[in-house]
Amino acid sequence: PFQIPLKEAYATYRGCDIQHENIFVGVGSDEAIDLLFRIFCVPGVDNVMTTPPTYGMYKVCANVNDVEIVSVPLTPDFDLRIPEMLEAVTDKTKLLFICSPGNPTCKAIPLADIQKIAESSSYKGIIVVDEAYVDFSDKGSAVSLVKTHPNIVVLQTLSKAFGLAGIRCGFAIANDDIIQLMNNVKAPYNVNKLTSEVANNAMKNIATLEKNIKLLLEQRECVTKALEAMDFVVKVYPSDSNFLLVKLKSLALEVYKTMADNGVVVRYRGKEMHCEDCIRITIGSEEENKACLKKLEETYNMLASKSS
């Protein structure tokens, strides 16, 4: 039930003097998020902090566990507002979620910012750094802070860079006391044998992973340049992830719907804070990216000529 060989392989891969005792293996990162709520938050009493725009699962888990959310939005450039965050926490704030690289912001939060919050005397709770997209970033991982900061929990997954979303395998990396609590609370056989086998196999194929990441980052650069050359694109946000956040002049929702009806799915993000008229484009193969860009241009021009 404790996946020791997988934890040992993952600890070796991530480095930073992490041991298997510092790792929890769960059903995606979502199980770890839910367990942290159940371990650290008293329903109807405690709260957690999020920094929107951010991953939607924190809100879902908060609602399920009857825990209030305190929100301190990111700046329009998607940076943390640390003074405001530290002012808004109370002794009832048990978890503080930082998504880095962010979803949908695609921006990594500097490790110095995470460290500043972890070392602040104003906040006594746990900092949860959600690093689902960390393998696409060159800004480093908060795993490097775990050994020196017992109040940091890092969440990672095999769903993104490893391309194994279907096996539902995620990790929490933290102080061994927190990991022990998570192991005590989880279901005995939360990770099935098939998932475990595929995950162990993935850890033996890191060269393939690194090759795939390299190709994806090259494509991210190509797609960014192509988008920036389009006259209806206002901004392509800098990305530390495997997707791009793209601000259009207008018609973002209509573009999303029309493209989806024609078999190319981007994500509409215009309802999220600081993301008006934005779509999110995931980077695929060269062929997929070219098809997506072509469809985007055709769709926007068609809709723009109709609306004019």
Side-chain angles (χ1 to χ4, degrees), residues 5-18:
L6 175 56
K7 288 178 179 179
E8 285 176 341
Y10 199 74
T12 303
Y13 171 57
R14 288 302 181 197
C16 302
D17 195 29
I18 295 298

Side-chain angles (χ1 to χ4, degrees), residues 38-50:
R38 286 160 56 197
I39 292 165
F40 291 107
C41 300
V42 178
V45 176
D46 290 329
N47 66 58
V48 301
M49 178 172 286
T50 64

